[in-house]
Amino acid sequence: MLNALLLIALAFLAACSPPEDSSPIVTQTPVVEVSVTTEIRQPEAQRTITIAADPWCPHNCTAGSEREGYMIEIAREAFALAQLDVEYTNVSWARALELADEGYIDAVVGAFTRDARGFVYPEEAIGYARTALFTHVESDWSYQA
């Protein structure tokens, strides 16, 4: 009978012990921190596009005048859509091309494609110019190219 009691005691003890190679019931999961920002991004400061040219009305007239020319008005409206201001200034045509080529200004206005060969031009012109010569009906003058 003593043997039977020992066997029952061993069975109880064996049943209560966890197996040696068992994996833990609760697995470790990495902790991930999530941060929520409530910062509101402010709009960028107004930027400026600088355009220069010599006055050539009605395309581009005197800078700062009541009517600076239709090309300047178009530029102001178009760049305003992208929240850009336009600063228009008058310099000689050669100087305007030089300033733009060297990156001191952003654009010239009223250029023909032959005026500045390395510049970027729109696919569609916003204005046209042509030379027309007139004389009095009684004049015998004729144009000699």
Side-chain angles (χ1 to χ4, degrees), residues 47-118:
R47 295 173 292 168
T48 302
I49 299 291
T50 304
I51 300 174
D54 60 342
W56 187 39
C57 270
H59 311 286
N60 55 288
C61 304
T62 304
S65 65
E66 185 179 332
R67 294 184 176 172
E68 293 180 305
Y70 73 88
M71 288 187 174
I72 302 304
E73 291 175 14
I74 290 171
R76 288 190 193 284
E77 292 290 323
F79 286 120
L81 296 173
Q83 297 180 334
L84 297 168
D85 285 329
V86 170
E87 180 183 321
Y88 170 56
T89 186
N90 293 131
V91 295
S92 72
W93 184 242
R95 183 74 175 140
L97 293 175
E98 181 181 338
L99 290 171
D101 192 45
E102 293 175 1
Y104 291 107
I105 62 171
D106 300 300
V108 297
V109 64
F112 291 106
T113 55
R114 66 181 178 270
D115 289 344
R117 298 213 183 261

Side-chain angles (χ1 to χ4, degrees), residues 115-135:
D115 289 344
R117 298 213 183 261
F119 287 23
V120 177
Y121 292 90
E123 290 182 22
E124 187 176 331
I126 61 170
Y128 294 95
R130 69 176 164 195
T131 303
L133 304 173
F134 300 90
T135 185

